[in-house]
Amino acid sequence: MKVRIALTVNDEVHEALVPVHKTLLEVLREDLALTGTKHGCELGECGTCTVLVDGQPVLSCLALPLETEGRRITTIEGLADGARLHPLQQAFAELGAAQCGYCTPGILLTAAALLSERPSPTRQEVKEALAGNLCRCTGYTKILDAVELAALRMERART
Amino acid sequence: MIRLPSFTYLAPRTLAEAATAMAEHGRDAMLVAGGTDLYPNMKRRQFEPKVVVGLRGIRELRGVRVESGGWTIGAGTTLSEVSTHPAIARDFPALATAAGLVSSPQLRNMGTIGGNVCVDTRCNYYNQSYEWRKAIGFCMKKDGDICLVAPGSSRCWAVSSSDTAPVLWALGARLRVVGAGGERIVPIAALYRDDGIEYLAKRPDEIVADVLLPPADGWRSAYLKLRRRGSFDFPVLGVAVAARMNGDVVREARIVLGAVASLPRPAERAAAELVGQRITRDLVTRVADLAAGPSKPLDNTDFTHPYRKRVTRVFVARALAAIGGLGDGGPASEEVA
Amino acid sequence: MTKNDFAVVGQPLPKVDAWAKVVGETRYADDLFLPRMAYAKLLRSSHAHARIRSIDTARARALPGVYAVVTAADLPPVKFGILPVSQDEEALCADKVRMVGDPLAAVAAVDEETADLACRLIDVTYEPLPALMSIFDALAHPEVRIHEYGDGPNVHKNVALQFGDVDAALVGADLVREDVFFFEGNTHLPMEQHAAVAHWTSDGKLTLWSSTQTPHYVHRVLAKVLATPAAHIRVIATPVGGGFGGKTDPFSHEIVACQLSKLTGRPVKIALTREEVFYTHRGRHPVLMWIKTGFTKRGDITGCHLRTWLDGGAYGSYGVASTFYTGVINPVTYKIPVYKFEGARIFTNKPACGPKRGHGTPQPRFALECQLDKAAEQLGLDPADLRRRIVVEPYTKTANHLTVTTIGLGECIDKVVEASGWRAKRTRYGVTAAMGSQPTGGSREGGAGCTHLVQPEPPSPKKPGIGIACSAYMTGAGTAIYWNDMPHSGVIVRADRSGGVAILCGATDIGQGSDSVLAYLTAEVLGLEPVDVQVFPADTSLTPVDLGSYSSRVTLMCGMAAIQAAGRLRDAIFKAVARKLEVDPAALVARERKIGVPDDWDKAVSFARAVELGEAMHGVLAFPGSYAPPKRAGKYKGGGVGPSPCYSYSACVVELTVDEETGTVDLRDVWIAHDIGRTLNPLLAEGQVEGSIYMGIGEALMEEQVFRKGLHKQPSMLEYKSPTTLETPEIHTILVETDDPEGPFGAKEVGQGPLLPVIPAIANAIHHALGIRIDEVPITPDKILKALELRRRGKPPRVGPERLPLFTFKDPLVVESAFGQPADAIGVRPFQS
Ligand SMILES: Cc1cc2nc3c(=O)[nH]c(=O)nc-3n(C[C@H](O)[C@H](O)[C@H](O)COP(=O)(O)OP(=O)(O)OC[C@H]3O[C@@H](n4cnc5c(N)ncnc54)[C@H](O)[C@@H]3O)c2cc1C
Ligand code: SF4
Ligand code: FES
Ligand code: FES
């Protein structure tokens, strides 16, 4: 069964005719050409496919587009403000927090949600927020450092 | 990519509509709330419903309310909402803990408490892809007729793997269940059956609408979860302890074990031993030994089953010690509330 | 050069591909979508070992949306394998399947869903054969043969090498220890599942984009199995979303995608599921080890004898090399005057093992480092001091004829001992400390004679411990996988009047930052910023051959080639600039995007201008750089595995607590000092160290690739336990520089070595905490409780393998020990001028 859906992704409305059983992950990548969203298991077991729905990190591999209609979806392609990188993106690049980069989109989005809710998290809070995103390359160390650096810079920019 | 099988999706706006739709499609239909349990299972072809009835659009399922007789948690409330709700954290710390220990942050943003109490039983011969199950030979829970864990057995021993169910049981929660033919309110214990396949004692059209918690006065609770990692992993042992205290004397107590049977398993003798007593180290040891009795894990989850059994004792002791204020350095503080 | 002479080297610069990665622009293989593309799926065996009776594809072909279905009958009957000596794989199995997951047939269809459905419509009948699921099974059933070739029934490889008279050395020792260890297998688990897109165009040419670490070997294999000239095939390695050795073999899915593209006239994509990645495997071998070592009272090693049995799985892969690696690298760390190694790789009906980060060496490293810990305890020596004394001398040879150049291991040990507070913690923590002192944490108010007795608190069940271990690893294999005299790595640097510089190199960036290192080194030589250098990697039609991203060879080999190529470009430009400025070329320097004489810098010309002058003088500016390692293979059969231009060294201290009631291990801190030769970029180097530690932790405590009833027990991300942020401790990295004459600006490897010491350091720390020995990896809580239980029952508190296979190694090749001899010539290698 195909349905016509209208998804608000990165503040743009996308219409598509897709089978109901196609997940948000599949529709983003295959129908909307937003391949920045990655996947590592498609079963909810790795966090690689994380996107934001109304600002909250969710797993696009377990979400149906129908269930996200009318809600705000943010993918990695929408994290920067136009050409201005999000401070997290800047910090990840500067500190080498992306090695192979495959987990990076999901981690950046999860971290962005954390910082908008809790602008100055402790290291333990960052660890807990990112506990649903596996990374096999970095040992998380540079990732945690980069989130802390971005938080600090955002804090400074506010004051 | 591993993908979903095809199905028709219905999005009712009210509970009544949802129940009617379920009744109409019978065995062909399944409910979905957050989808975090159902969709992975469907991708592995453990379920292939023709019709999926989504509960997300039903307003009355959302939210936490305080009413005269206690607290009401709508079944559609997400685990994130449950774990961070200030009143729940205050009154039912074990529930906040258990909800906060389910899988990962993302999953808790999606998964609901209703889905969590109805979550499918698990077994590492069953939570596998279609191809894998075919290769090993299908078991009776899906597509086959034998049990691979207990080959002589006529029943399935898949494991109740909900984090919140044992806690809700220990807290004396009741459920409001709405079906096509009306609604009923039952103690949560009555939702479960000791069978890995038919693990829920409810008709398919019945929807868990609310979780009802009695007032918390005097109750203290703790939940400890055994798993390999601090995130993602299902419990392979859950220990929920609740005690109503009068001063330092236990008036009422419940100990419920998760993930050691096809349903949450109460340790009644052990709990009875607590009543009328002050919690001392000796008592803790005695009760923990008793509580480990009903823990009968089989070899179908992560960790060896003798190990899970052994840790039952330790966790019961630690949970009791926490409730009794016998500070010990044992459990990680995040696990005890 | 001293550190201060560098402009780029040593700076914490972002990676050149970092920006694309943080905005989601990097295109991995599965992100490629071509017009008219078809999607392919493999049908895989559901039997661990069986003869194929028949495959009926009729129902699959009839399914609407299916473009093509292939079986072995549709491919040339050519076997392949990464090593010339182990050509035992088939793109699609023809007669026999050897594991659950072996590919049998493939479908190309309009979409993945249809291809998947069609696979389920293929009917296969099998004649099951007994499945041999362990080393013991396979050796006990010589009548059931998984392969017809090898060194015996189900014995893929049997090797034995002896350097000096080990028996005599052991007789002369004050202490001889004999220990048995087991290291369970585990897998790479890259976050990106393997994917490939093949396009066989109507001009008869084939392009394959694949997430591979070794496009060159894939290229060779495609030519062979598709019976097509290599000249008509182009392999492009897409950015790899994690490799760790798991994408280093040529794979069935790559070959099949090509064939399906040929048949359908469409581009064909194939993307493996996570479960299929577990079957593709090539991960860490399970290895059973017996190690016998003699020690003097002061802790010197008199001699060492090691036996290893590797569970190879169903195919050869890199297995012959893996087998040697379980034996040959141990001697480059500590002084081992005489050495004997016997190793055997056994075929079993499981996914093939191969190279995973540290290829073949973490297992014997675990054995040796735990044994050293036991010896130190028996000899009453501090385990750090024992190791410090016996570190190999620089510029000498090992017993097995490997040349050690620089070695910073002593300094590494000193640094971690100091940073971790080793000495104080070693006495403060641990069983012996606990036994001597009163239980801590008891109630302060309570006490004898006190009337309000507060219940005394029991001591915490969490016991602290601290442990140490060291390691060494190769910086690139000294010999190629197939014998040849050509470069191992090549680079072309080109520049034109735009001032832009491009580097073409066959290396693949798997996240380790090889593109960045190429840009840094070239920029350093030419006085540019890395951003001025464009790197074009891993395209077999455009880039000079590089053997691939494995064995920690890329930074050294591509780096040396890049330095050579960039140096040639610089010399050409200098000549032109010198003429213009009327100075001697030798007086010129390149820096800050200019070329000039330092004392007369105002006259310096811009780099772009310099290139114009160069182009005018020489014509097109494009220069090659070539690298092949020094020829140092030992002059005996098998001497080709182990030599490397130089070795990196690590020392690691782990601090942890163990809960003696639950057996749970909590890591607190890991200190690691790594001899990297020269740090080209501290951020990248630390990142490699941290990633290695992380992977080592997973292997030590939870990751295992285990089987049950002929099947992988847990082929999923959820049940294969990869540590999360919450299991990862704070990691303190110390980089030690020894400026190795063999490396680019003195650099050695950092991508694999730091994994090795973590595992034994954890085991040794657990011993320190509780006095128990877990001689088996992973060290799980149930094993810890079992050891404690043994102690309660008055038995030795050790959990580990209890038996060894009945197996006859072949007569050893006896060679004189080269221990302590001066190193071969340093810095002498092919293609130098
Ligand atoms: C990787 C991973 C890890 C997990 N780890 C944990 C864990 O640690 N602990 C844990 O407890 N769970 C875990 N889960 C399971 C699951 O995510 C949670 O149990 C979650 O709470 C389920 O809620 P849901 O709303 O997503 O359920 P759904 O998937 O929507 O539904 C689950 C089941 O309940 C039924 N159902 C849902 N809502 C209702 C209702 N209101 N009335 C009647 N039936 C209903 C559905 O028909 C379905 O059978 C994990 C899942 C994954 C994929
Ligand atoms: S317990 Fe037995 S029947 Fe039930 S899922 Fe496991 S193997 Fe199947
Ligand atoms: S792809 Fe792994 S959680 Fe979605
Ligand atoms: S950077 Fe490779 S998986 Fe995280």
Side-chain angles (χ1 to χ4, degrees):
Chain A
M1 184 178 87
K2 282 200 177 183
V3 284
R4 180 158 294 284
I5 48 162
L7 293 180
T8 311
V9 186
N10 305 330
D11 297 326
E12 286 175 17
V13 179
H14 295 259
E15 294 204 357
L17 183 68
V18 296
V20 189
H21 63 279
K22 246 185 138 171
T23 59
L24 182 60
L25 169 72
E26 293 156 30
V27 170
L28 287 172
R29 289 177 51 81
E30 296 164 8
D31 299 275
L32 307 187
L34 292 168
T35 52
T37 305
K38 306 297 178 212
H39 57 99
C41 72
E42 305 98 60
L43 293 169
E45 303 173 352
C46 73
T48 311
C49 65
T50 301
V51 299
L52 303 184
V53 174
D54 290 341
Q56 281 207 332
V58 303
L59 302 173
S60 62
C61 70
L62 298 184
L64 290 191
L66 261 185
E67 296 168 343
T68 49
E69 265 192 311
R71 306 175 74 188
R72 254 175 39 250
I73 300 166
T74 312
T75 67
I76 187 64
E77 289 90 345
L79 187 58
D81 178 8
R84 251 200 32 238
L85 295 189
H86 189 287
L88 279 164
Q89 292 171 307
Q90 187 71 27
F92 269 57
E94 285 176 21
L95 294 193
Q99 286 190 23
C100 81
Y102 201 78
C103 67
T104 309
I107 291 189
L108 281 169
L109 290 165
T110 310
L114 169 71
L115 294 189
S116 58
E117 207 169 287
R118 215 177 264 269
S120 310
T122 62
R123 199 166 174 93
Q124 184 59 27
E125 284 170 339
V126 180
K127 282 189 177 184
E128 279 165 20
L130 294 180
N133 294 81
L134 289 179
C135 170
R136 289 290 285 177
C137 296
T138 61
Y140 307 108
T141 308
K142 296 267 180 281
I143 291 175
L144 301 177
D145 293 349
V147 176
E148 287 175 343
L149 177 63
L152 203 72
R153 285 179 176 167
M154 288 164 76
E155 173 89 50
R156 274 203 216 115
R158 273 191 301 273
T159 53
Chain B
M1 277 205 238
I2 176 163
R3 292 169 194 259
L4 285 168
S6 66
F7 52 81
T8 303
Y9 188 88
L10 302 180
R13 294 272 141 200
T14 65
L15 267 174
E17 263 174 62
T20 312
M22 287 299 292
E24 194 177 309
H25 296 282
R27 289 259 152 200
D28 285 345
M30 283 187 83
L31 292 166
V32 70
T36 60
D37 182 49
L38 185 70
Y39 293 148
N41 287 352
M42 285 173 66
K43 287 186 177 186
R44 290 183 292 243
R45 304 301 189 264
Q46 290 155 233
F47 296 110
E48 294 165 276
K50 293 203 178 71
V51 178
V52 170
V53 178
L55 298 176
R56 206 181 284 250
I58 303 177
R59 272 249 180 76
E60 55 192 300
L61 286 179
R62 295 300 281 253
V64 179
R65 307 177 288 278
V66 62
E67 274 153 24
S68 56
W71 287 90
T72 301
I73 305 174
T77 311
T78 64
L79 295 165
S80 295
E81 287 160 353
V82 172
S83 67
T84 56
H85 195 282
I88 294 179
R90 185 192 61 222
D91 284 3
F92 309 106
L95 178 59
T97 304
L101 290 176
V102 171
S103 192
S104 66
Q106 288 91 324
L107 229 115
R108 295 195 291 275
N109 288 340
M110 308 175 79
T112 65
I113 188 153
N116 195 250
V117 297
C118 295
V119 72
D120 193 14
T121 53
R122 295 179 61 83
C123 168
N124 60 21
Y125 287 94
Y126 164 72
N127 298 100
Q128 302 277 4
S129 71
Y130 175 83
E131 279 74 21
W132 191 97
R133 289 185 288 116
K134 181 177 170 197
I136 203 160
F138 296 113
C139 79
M140 69 172 88
K141 189 157 158 71
K142 180 73 167 90
D143 302 318
D145 44 25
I146 55 159
C147 172
L148 294 160
V149 183
S153 168
S154 58
R155 62 163 282 195
C156 163
W157 298 90
V159 180
S160 167
S161 303
S162 165
D163 276 307
T164 65
V167 175
L168 290 170
W169 187 321
L171 291 171
R174 290 168 307 147
L175 303 176
R176 185 169 74 96
V177 180
V178 178
E183 70 172 65
R184 55 188 178 121
I185 291 179
V186 294
I188 190 168
L191 181 68
Y192 299 109
R193 303 183 59 224
D194 191 6
D195 184 281
I197 299 171
E198 298 295 337
Y199 62 97
L200 292 180
K202 71 171 192 64
R203 290 197 316 276
D205 65 281
E206 283 185 313
I207 299 162
V208 174
D210 289 315
V211 175
L212 310 170
L213 284 162
D217 32 51
W219 284 90
R220 289 194 206 162
S221 61
Y223 178 67
L224 288 183
K225 170 172 183 174
L226 177 68
R227 57 173 161 181
R228 192 78 65 153
R229 301 175 292 181
S231 184
F232 288 110
D233 297 341
F234 278 89
V236 293
L237 164 69
V239 170
V241 176
R244 190 163 64 83
M245 309 292 288
N246 188 351
D248 55 2
V249 175
V250 177
R251 286 289 150 218
E252 244 184 286
R254 291 188 209 97
I255 300 174
V256 184
L257 309 177
V260 293
S262 295
L263 76 179
R265 177 71 80 193
E268 279 150 0
R269 278 224 300 142
E273 195 74 9
L274 286 166
V275 176
Q277 306 288 316
R278 287 174 54 214
I279 299 180
T280 62
R281 295 241 149 246
D282 283 350
L283 181 67
V284 164
T285 310
R286 214 154 9 100
V287 172
D289 284 339
L290 280 174
S295 174
K296 298 210 169 73
L298 294 180
D299 186 14
N300 58 353
T301 70
D302 187 29
F303 282 130
T304 65
H305 54 297
Y307 174 70
R308 285 158 63 209
K309 168 109 182 161
R310 273 191 72 166
V311 176
T312 309
R313 242 202 89 264
V314 178
F315 274 16
V316 171
R318 288 182 179 181
L320 282 171
I323 282 184
L326 308 176
D328 78 6
S333 52
E334 57 174 31
E335 290 166 329
V336 168
Chain C
M1 277 206 220
T2 72
K3 238 182 216 178
N4 302 332
D5 296 331
F6 293 115
V8 177
V9 163
Q11 297 300 315
L13 300 171
K15 296 204 299 174
V16 295
D17 53 1
W19 310 101
K21 283 178 174 169
V22 298
V23 297
E25 276 168 9
T26 304
R27 304 249 269 159
Y28 301 85
D30 193 28
D31 298 337
L32 303 178
F33 290 88
L34 302 183
R36 298 180 63 248
M37 189 162 82
Y39 295 79
K41 273 271 163 202
L42 287 165
L43 172 73
R44 293 178 181 272
S45 164
S46 51
H47 284 258
H49 198 190
R51 229 168 270 297
I52 303 164
R53 280 263 187 70
S54 66
I55 305 181
D56 183 351
T57 60
R59 291 197 301 145
R61 282 175 208 280
L63 188 73
V66 168
Y67 298 136
V69 183
V70 289
T71 65
D74 303 296
L75 281 162
V78 183
K79 292 199 174 187
F80 69 95
I82 184 75
L83 298 188
V85 293
S86 312
Q87 300 287 300
D88 59 3
E89 296 186 53
E90 295 163 297
L92 297 170
C93 297
D95 306 318
K96 196 169 141 164
V97 291
R98 296 179 174 85
M99 59 174 226
V100 172
D102 246 348
L104 284 161
V107 176
V110 57
D111 54 26
E112 205 179 23
E113 205 179 333
T114 308
D116 203 22
L117 216 66
C119 281
R120 287 184 194 162
L121 295 176
I122 298 173
D123 301 302
V124 185
T125 52
Y126 300 92
E127 177 190 327
L129 299 168
L132 306 176
M133 300 304 289
S134 71
I135 293 171
F136 290 95
D137 275 1
L139 292 176
H141 294 283
E143 76 286 359
V144 182
R145 289 200 64 160
I146 296 173
H147 285 282
E148 293 306 319
Y149 82 106
D151 287 348
N154 301 323
V155 179
H156 177 208
K157 190 71 194 167
N158 182 346
V159 299
L161 296 168
Q162 182 179 331
F163 307 93
D165 188 345
V166 174
D167 293 340
L170 293 176
V171 168
D174 297 318
L175 167 71
V176 175
R177 280 206 65 93
E178 224 179 292
D179 290 288
V180 179
F181 297 91
F182 180 63
F183 197 117
E184 184 56 275
N186 52 54
T187 200
H188 320 83
L189 203 80
M191 293 309 296
E192 179 207 27
Q193 299 138 310
H194 308 47
V197 176
H199 197 188
W200 208 315
T201 42
S202 46
D203 56 4
K205 292 191 177 173
L206 166 66
T207 303
L208 178 78
W209 292 263
S210 183
S211 50
T212 177
Q213 300 177 238
T214 50
H216 173 63
Y217 295 135
V218 172
H219 187 204
R220 286 171 59 88
V221 162
L222 290 181
K224 182 182 173 197
V225 296
L226 297 170
T228 301
H232 301 174
I233 300 176
R234 178 180 183 191
V235 178
I236 299 173
T238 47
V240 177
F244 317 113
K247 295 170 181 167
T248 311
D249 286 54
F251 290 113
S252 157
H253 67 272
E254 295 169 317
I255 299 166
V256 165
C258 294
Q259 187 68 7
L260 285 169
S261 177
K262 186 178 190 177
L263 291 175
T264 58
R266 292 171 181 268
V268 172
K269 179 193 276 188
I270 187 156
L272 303 189
T273 63
R274 179 53 61 185
E275 182 174 349
E276 288 179 287
V277 174
F278 280 97
Y279 299 144
T280 304
H281 191 46
R282 319 290 154 145
R284 184 87 69 228
H285 284 77
V287 183
L288 187 57
M289 294 162 283
W290 171 91
I291 179 168
K292 185 173 180 183
T293 308
F295 298 88
T296 66
K297 283 200 192 76
R298 301 167 66 198
D300 295 321
I301 293 174
T302 64
C304 177
H305 183 182
L306 171 69
R307 290 188 176 132
T308 64
W309 292 264
L310 294 80
D311 180 343
Y315 294 98
S317 182
Y318 285 80
V320 172
S322 319
T323 310
F324 278 101
Y325 282 136
T326 62
V328 298
I329 301 296
N330 269 357
V332 304
T333 342
Y334 307 116
K335 291 175 186 151
I336 302 179
V338 293
Y339 185 59
K340 183 171 177 182
F341 162 60
E342 295 164 296
R345 185 175 190 262
I346 314 299
F347 284 126
T348 52
N349 293 113
K350 305 194 266 195
C353 297
K356 181 183 172 192
R357 206 171 201 170
H359 193 183
T361 69
Q363 302 97 326
R365 179 56 57 187
F366 170 65
L368 176 63
E369 297 290 329
C370 291
Q371 188 177 56
L372 285 180
D373 214 59
K374 297 180 189 193
E377 191 183 14
Q378 265 179 296
L379 295 168
L381 299 170
D382 176 89
D385 294 343
L386 178 144
R387 287 174 169 83
R388 184 72 179 80
R389 266 179 47 83
I390 59 173
V391 166
V392 163
E393 295 293 329
Y395 299 104
T396 60
K397 285 194 188 180
T398 65
N400 57 334
H401 300 225
L402 301 180
T403 285
V404 171
T405 56
T406 57
I407 168 164
L409 183 56
E411 193 182 338
C412 289
I413 295 174
D414 294 343
K415 291 237 153 110
V416 284
V417 161
E418 182 176 340
S420 64
W422 168 264
R423 299 207 186 273
K425 288 173 182 166
R426 199 62 195 174
T427 36
R428 191 145 41 87
Y429 302 164
V431 259
T432 36
M435 278 179 216
S437 67
Q438 293 304 308
T440 51
S443 153
R444 288 208 179 79
E445 307 93 297
C450 187
T451 40
H452 320 282
L453 247 185
V454 182
Q455 289 186 27
E457 274 185 34
S460 165
K462 288 191 167 190
K463 304 297 183 211
I466 187 164
I468 192 169
C470 303
S471 69
Y473 199 67
M474 308 181 298
T475 309
T479 46
I481 277 168
Y482 60 98
W483 193 90
N484 73 85
D485 275 331
M486 293 176 280
H488 288 217
S489 199
V491 164
I492 290 172
V493 175
R494 77 172 267 292
D496 70 21
R497 57 201 87 172
S498 70
V501 171
I503 302 205
L504 284 74
C505 176
T508 36
D509 201 312
I510 59 173
Q512 88 282 42
S514 63
D515 288 3
S516 302
V517 166
L518 286 168
Y520 301 153
L521 295 177
T522 307
E524 181 70 54
V525 173
L526 298 174
L528 298 172
E529 296 290 320
V531 68
D532 304 330
V533 180
Q534 302 295 318
V535 180
F536 298 89
D539 177 331
T540 61
S541 290
L542 293 181
T543 58
V545 168
D546 174 74
L547 296 181
S549 291
Y550 63 94
S551 93
S552 281
R553 51 178 298 290
V554 175
T555 291
L556 185 135
M557 299 197 191
C558 299
M560 293 298 277
I563 290 172
Q564 186 182 59
R568 286 170 174 165
L569 170 64
R570 188 188 54 192
D571 291 350
I573 297 174
F574 275 17
K575 222 189 249 174
V577 174
R579 187 159 74 188
K580 168 85 179 168
L581 299 181
E582 298 176 338
V583 297
D584 181 356
L588 292 171
V589 298
R591 64 172 201 233
E592 295 153 16
R593 294 172 166 149
K594 287 189 184 141
I595 290 166
V597 179
D599 294 340
D600 197 6
W601 197 243
D602 288 348
K603 291 222 188 73
V605 301
S606 72
F607 184 78
R609 175 70 187 133
V611 176
E612 282 181 2
L613 295 169
E615 255 192 281
M617 177 183 270
H618 307 282
V620 170
L621 298 177
F623 294 89
S626 305
Y627 179 85
K631 292 196 184 291
R632 292 195 191 129
K635 310 252 171 317
Y636 57 89
K637 192 162 184 282
V641 190
S644 174
C646 51
Y647 300 90
S648 77
Y649 293 89
S650 318
C652 176
V653 168
V654 169
E655 184 177 343
L656 48 69
T657 62
V658 196
D659 186 323
E660 60 182 356
E661 290 175 353
T662 61
T664 313
V665 175
D666 271 325
L667 298 179
R668 287 190 189 163
D669 289 277
V670 173
W671 292 267
I672 186 150
H674 181 76
D675 167 12
I676 189 173
R678 160 95 58 208
T679 308
L680 298 179
N681 176 335
L683 287 179
L684 265 65
E686 287 163 16
Q688 287 301 307
V689 174
E690 289 154 3
S692 298
I693 303 265
Y694 164 82
M695 204 161 263
I697 289 168
E699 298 193 20
L701 297 177
M702 53 186 85
E703 292 182 37
E704 50 182 343
Q705 168 121 326
V706 287
F707 295 78
R708 180 175 63 183
K709 300 187 194 221
L711 268 85
H712 194 301
K713 189 174 169 191
Q714 52 213 10
S716 71
M717 283 288 215
L718 181 60
E719 295 303 326
Y720 181 89
K721 304 298 182 186
S722 176
T724 73
T725 51
L726 301 175
E727 285 71 48
T728 310
E730 291 299 316
I731 298 167
H732 314 274
T733 303
I734 302 160
L735 297 171
V736 168
E737 297 196 321
T738 46
D739 194 7
D740 197 279
E742 295 290 355
F745 299 124
K748 313 195 217 181
E749 81 87 37
V750 62
Q752 310 195 64
L755 179 148
L756 308 172
V758 183
I759 303 160
I762 289 175
N764 292 339
I766 290 171
H767 173 257
H768 185 233
L770 294 181
I772 57 171
R773 287 286 174 192
I774 312 297
D775 290 340
E776 190 178 292
V777 161
I779 302 174
T780 50
D782 55 311
K783 292 177 193 169
I784 288 172
L785 291 191
K786 195 166 147 197
L788 290 171
E789 182 62 36
L790 287 170
R791 187 169 60 198
R792 262 191 293 280
R793 287 199 259 119
K795 304 223 170 97
R798 171 199 179 259
V799 172
E802 306 283 349
R803 64 184 178 134
L804 293 173
L806 282 173
F807 182 83
T808 318
F809 288 99
K810 67 182 193 198
D811 289 339
L813 179 69
V814 181
V815 185
E816 219 170 287
S817 167
F819 175 73
Q821 291 176 10
D824 284 338
I826 302 302
V828 178
R829 53 185 173 263
F831 313 112
Q832 242 166 336
S833 49

